[in-house]
mmCIF file of all heavy atoms in Angstrom:
data_model
loop_
_atom_site.group_PDB
_atom_site.id
_atom_site.type_symbol
_atom_site.label_atom_id
_atom_site.label_comp_id
_atom_site.label_asym_id
_atom_site.label_seq_id
_atom_site.Cartn_x
_atom_site.Cartn_y
_atom_site.Cartn_z
ATOM 1 N N LEU A 217 -6.761 -4.443 -0.898
ATOM 2 C CA LEU A 217 -5.876 -5.607 -0.941
ATOM 3 C C LEU A 217 -5.100 -5.656 0.366
ATOM 4 O O LEU A 217 -4.336 -4.753 0.675
ATOM 5 C CB LEU A 217 -4.933 -5.469 -2.132
ATOM 6 C CG LEU A 217 -4.011 -6.617 -2.471
ATOM 7 C CD1 LEU A 217 -4.793 -7.859 -2.799
ATOM 8 C CD2 LEU A 217 -3.124 -6.242 -3.641
ATOM 9 N N ALA A 218 -5.328 -6.672 1.128
ATOM 10 C CA ALA A 218 -4.574 -6.859 2.374
ATOM 11 C C ALA A 218 -4.591 -8.331 2.709
ATOM 12 O O ALA A 218 -5.471 -9.069 2.249
ATOM 13 C CB ALA A 218 -5.190 -6.041 3.507
ATOM 14 N N ASP A 219 -3.645 -8.758 3.514
ATOM 15 C CA ASP A 219 -3.544 -10.176 3.890
ATOM 16 C C ASP A 219 -3.561 -11.070 2.655
ATOM 17 O O ASP A 219 -4.212 -12.117 2.634
ATOM 18 C CB ASP A 219 -4.683 -10.590 4.837
ATOM 19 C CG ASP A 219 -4.789 -9.646 6.018
ATOM 20 O OD1 ASP A 219 -3.750 -9.069 6.372
ATOM 21 O OD2 ASP A 219 -5.905 -9.457 6.538
ATOM 22 N N GLN A 220 -2.892 -10.668 1.596
ATOM 23 C CA GLN A 220 -2.712 -11.471 0.375
ATOM 24 C C GLN A 220 -3.975 -11.692 -0.462
ATOM 25 O O GLN A 220 -3.962 -12.448 -1.410
ATOM 26 C CB GLN A 220 -2.086 -12.834 0.703
ATOM 27 C CG GLN A 220 -0.624 -12.755 1.036
ATOM 28 C CD GLN A 220 -0.352 -13.149 2.462
ATOM 29 O OE1 GLN A 220 -1.007 -14.043 2.990
ATOM 30 N NE2 GLN A 220 0.584 -12.482 3.088
ATOM 31 N N HIS A 221 -5.093 -11.073 -0.100
ATOM 32 C CA HIS A 221 -6.241 -11.162 -1.007
ATOM 33 C C HIS A 221 -7.118 -9.918 -0.871
ATOM 34 O O HIS A 221 -6.842 -9.041 -0.061
ATOM 35 C CB HIS A 221 -7.032 -12.449 -0.752
ATOM 36 C CG HIS A 221 -7.657 -12.518 0.589
ATOM 37 N ND1 HIS A 221 -6.950 -12.822 1.725
ATOM 38 C CD2 HIS A 221 -8.934 -12.300 0.988
ATOM 39 C CE1 HIS A 221 -7.752 -12.801 2.769
ATOM 40 N NE2 HIS A 221 -8.959 -12.480 2.353
ATOM 41 N N ILE A 222 -8.144 -9.861 -1.710
ATOM 42 C CA ILE A 222 -9.040 -8.705 -1.677
ATOM 43 C C ILE A 222 -9.961 -8.873 -0.464
ATOM 44 O O ILE A 222 -10.792 -9.780 -0.432
ATOM 45 C CB ILE A 222 -9.888 -8.647 -2.965
ATOM 46 C CG1 ILE A 222 -8.997 -8.592 -4.206
ATOM 47 C CG2 ILE A 222 -10.856 -7.478 -2.914
ATOM 48 C CD1 ILE A 222 -8.388 -7.275 -4.498
ATOM 49 N N ILE A 223 -9.801 -8.002 0.534
ATOM 50 C CA ILE A 223 -10.641 -8.177 1.728
ATOM 51 C C ILE A 223 -11.977 -7.465 1.578
ATOM 52 O O ILE A 223 -12.939 -7.804 2.259
ATOM 53 C CB ILE A 223 -9.934 -7.670 3.003
ATOM 54 C CG1 ILE A 223 -9.486 -6.218 2.817
ATOM 55 C CG2 ILE A 223 -8.751 -8.555 3.365
ATOM 56 C CD1 ILE A 223 -9.204 -5.531 4.114
ATOM 57 N N ALA A 224 -12.028 -6.507 0.690
ATOM 58 C CA ALA A 224 -13.310 -5.822 0.517
ATOM 59 C C ALA A 224 -13.389 -5.273 -0.892
ATOM 60 O O ALA A 224 -12.404 -4.760 -1.423
ATOM 61 C CB ALA A 224 -13.429 -4.683 1.523
ATOM 62 N N PHE A 225 -14.532 -5.431 -1.510
ATOM 63 C CA PHE A 225 -14.735 -4.838 -2.833
ATOM 64 C C PHE A 225 -16.182 -4.401 -2.934
ATOM 65 O O PHE A 225 -17.099 -5.146 -2.582
ATOM 66 C CB PHE A 225 -14.407 -5.852 -3.932
ATOM 67 C CG PHE A 225 -14.686 -5.326 -5.312
ATOM 68 C CD1 PHE A 225 -13.920 -4.284 -5.823
ATOM 69 C CD2 PHE A 225 -15.729 -5.829 -6.078
ATOM 70 C CE1 PHE A 225 -14.181 -3.777 -7.080
ATOM 71 C CE2 PHE A 225 -15.987 -5.314 -7.342
ATOM 72 C CZ PHE A 225 -15.211 -4.286 -7.840
ATOM 73 N N GLY A 226 -16.402 -3.203 -3.396
ATOM 74 C CA GLY A 226 -17.770 -2.733 -3.533
ATOM 75 C C GLY A 226 -17.786 -1.239 -3.761
ATOM 76 O O GLY A 226 -16.733 -0.624 -3.926
ATOM 77 N N PRO A 227 -18.971 -0.660 -3.821
ATOM 78 C CA PRO A 227 -19.072 0.785 -3.969
ATOM 79 C C PRO A 227 -18.294 1.495 -2.856
ATOM 80 O O PRO A 227 -18.194 0.973 -1.751
ATOM 81 C CB PRO A 227 -20.565 1.055 -3.877
ATOM 82 C CG PRO A 227 -21.201 -0.226 -4.276
ATOM 83 C CD PRO A 227 -20.286 -1.308 -3.828
ATOM 84 N N LYS A 228 -17.795 2.673 -3.207
ATOM 85 C CA LYS A 228 -16.895 3.400 -2.318
ATOM 86 C C LYS A 228 -17.423 3.521 -0.891
ATOM 87 O O LYS A 228 -16.738 3.210 0.074
ATOM 88 C CB LYS A 228 -16.695 4.790 -2.930
ATOM 89 C CG LYS A 228 -15.462 5.485 -2.519
ATOM 90 C CD LYS A 228 -15.148 6.640 -3.454
ATOM 91 C CE LYS A 228 -16.391 7.434 -3.827
ATOM 92 N NZ LYS A 228 -16.123 8.499 -4.788
ATOM 93 N N ALA A 229 -18.661 3.972 -0.797
ATOM 94 C CA ALA A 229 -19.216 4.258 0.523
ATOM 95 C C ALA A 229 -19.277 2.998 1.386
ATOM 96 O O ALA A 229 -19.042 3.043 2.591
ATOM 97 C CB ALA A 229 -20.606 4.867 0.377
ATOM 98 N N GLU A 230 -19.571 1.887 0.743
ATOM 99 C CA GLU A 230 -19.690 0.635 1.494
ATOM 100 C C GLU A 230 -18.340 0.208 2.062
ATOM 101 O O GLU A 230 -18.234 -0.174 3.225
ATOM 102 C CB GLU A 230 -20.179 -0.478 0.562
ATOM 103 C CG GLU A 230 -21.650 -0.784 0.676
ATOM 104 C CD GLU A 230 -22.034 -1.791 -0.388
ATOM 105 O OE1 GLU A 230 -21.340 -2.819 -0.511
ATOM 106 O OE2 GLU A 230 -23.017 -1.525 -1.110
ATOM 107 N N VAL A 231 -17.334 0.289 1.196
ATOM 108 C CA VAL A 231 -16.024 -0.223 1.600
ATOM 109 C C VAL A 231 -15.465 0.581 2.758
ATOM 110 O O VAL A 231 -14.790 0.055 3.640
ATOM 111 C CB VAL A 231 -15.056 -0.217 0.400
ATOM 112 C CG1 VAL A 231 -13.642 -0.524 0.842
ATOM 113 C CG2 VAL A 231 -15.520 -1.210 -0.641
ATOM 114 N N MET A 232 -15.785 1.871 2.761
ATOM 115 C CA MET A 232 -15.197 2.708 3.804
ATOM 116 C C MET A 232 -15.681 2.343 5.196
ATOM 117 O O MET A 232 -15.062 2.702 6.188
ATOM 118 C CB MET A 232 -15.511 4.175 3.511
ATOM 119 C CG MET A 232 -14.400 4.798 2.695
ATOM 120 S SD MET A 232 -14.653 6.524 2.477
ATOM 121 C CE MET A 232 -15.572 6.537 0.976
ATOM 122 N N THR A 233 -16.796 1.646 5.262
ATOM 123 C CA THR A 233 -17.315 1.299 6.578
ATOM 124 C C THR A 233 -16.831 -0.077 7.032
ATOM 125 O O THR A 233 -17.152 -0.517 8.132
ATOM 126 C CB THR A 233 -18.862 1.273 6.544
ATOM 127 O OG1 THR A 233 -19.257 0.362 5.518
ATOM 128 C CG2 THR A 233 -19.419 2.641 6.255
ATOM 129 N N VAL A 234 -16.044 -0.731 6.183
ATOM 130 C CA VAL A 234 -15.556 -2.060 6.546
ATOM 131 C C VAL A 234 -14.644 -1.954 7.768
ATOM 132 O O VAL A 234 -13.852 -1.027 7.886
ATOM 133 C CB VAL A 234 -14.773 -2.681 5.361
ATOM 134 C CG1 VAL A 234 -14.021 -3.927 5.815
ATOM 135 C CG2 VAL A 234 -15.720 -3.023 4.246
ATOM 136 N N ASP A 235 -14.795 -2.897 8.659
ATOM 137 C CA ASP A 235 -13.994 -2.843 9.866
ATOM 138 C C ASP A 235 -12.762 -3.724 9.708
ATOM 139 O O ASP A 235 -12.807 -4.930 9.920
ATOM 140 C CB ASP A 235 -14.849 -3.311 11.050
ATOM 141 C CG ASP A 235 -14.160 -2.964 12.347
ATOM 142 O OD1 ASP A 235 -13.389 -1.981 12.354
ATOM 143 O OD2 ASP A 235 -14.371 -3.676 13.338
ATOM 144 N N HIS A 236 -11.700 -3.113 9.244
ATOM 145 C CA HIS A 236 -10.434 -3.833 9.092
ATOM 146 C C HIS A 236 -9.355 -2.821 9.430
ATOM 147 O O HIS A 236 -9.460 -1.653 9.051
ATOM 148 C CB HIS A 236 -10.284 -4.342 7.649
ATOM 149 C CG HIS A 236 -9.036 -5.156 7.435
ATOM 150 N ND1 HIS A 236 -7.816 -4.585 7.232
ATOM 151 C CD2 HIS A 236 -8.833 -6.499 7.423
ATOM 152 C CE1 HIS A 236 -6.908 -5.527 7.086
ATOM 153 N NE2 HIS A 236 -7.502 -6.696 7.210
ATOM 154 N N PRO A 237 -8.326 -3.242 10.140
ATOM 155 C CA PRO A 237 -7.321 -2.267 10.575
ATOM 156 C C PRO A 237 -6.778 -1.409 9.433
ATOM 157 O O PRO A 237 -6.590 -0.210 9.585
ATOM 158 C CB PRO A 237 -6.214 -3.134 11.184
ATOM 159 C CG PRO A 237 -6.749 -4.511 11.290
ATOM 160 C CD PRO A 237 -8.080 -4.579 10.650
ATOM 161 N N PHE A 238 -6.564 -2.036 8.247
ATOM 162 C CA PHE A 238 -6.019 -1.248 7.150
ATOM 163 C C PHE A 238 -7.007 -0.192 6.670
ATOM 164 O O PHE A 238 -6.642 0.962 6.444
ATOM 165 C CB PHE A 238 -5.615 -2.146 5.975
ATOM 166 C CG PHE A 238 -5.153 -1.349 4.800
ATOM 167 C CD1 PHE A 238 -3.895 -0.778 4.798
ATOM 168 C CD2 PHE A 238 -5.991 -1.111 3.714
ATOM 169 C CE1 PHE A 238 -3.467 -0.002 3.750
ATOM 170 C CE2 PHE A 238 -5.567 -0.327 2.662
ATOM 171 C CZ PHE A 238 -4.301 0.215 2.685
#
Side-chain angles (χ1 to χ4, degrees):
Chain A
L217 186 61
D219 308 332
Q220 286 115 36
H221 64 282
I222 303 283
I223 54 161
F225 176 67
K228 203 164 42 183
E230 260 174 49
V231 171
M232 268 186 269
T233 56
V234 168
D235 193 27
H236 183 279
F238 176 76

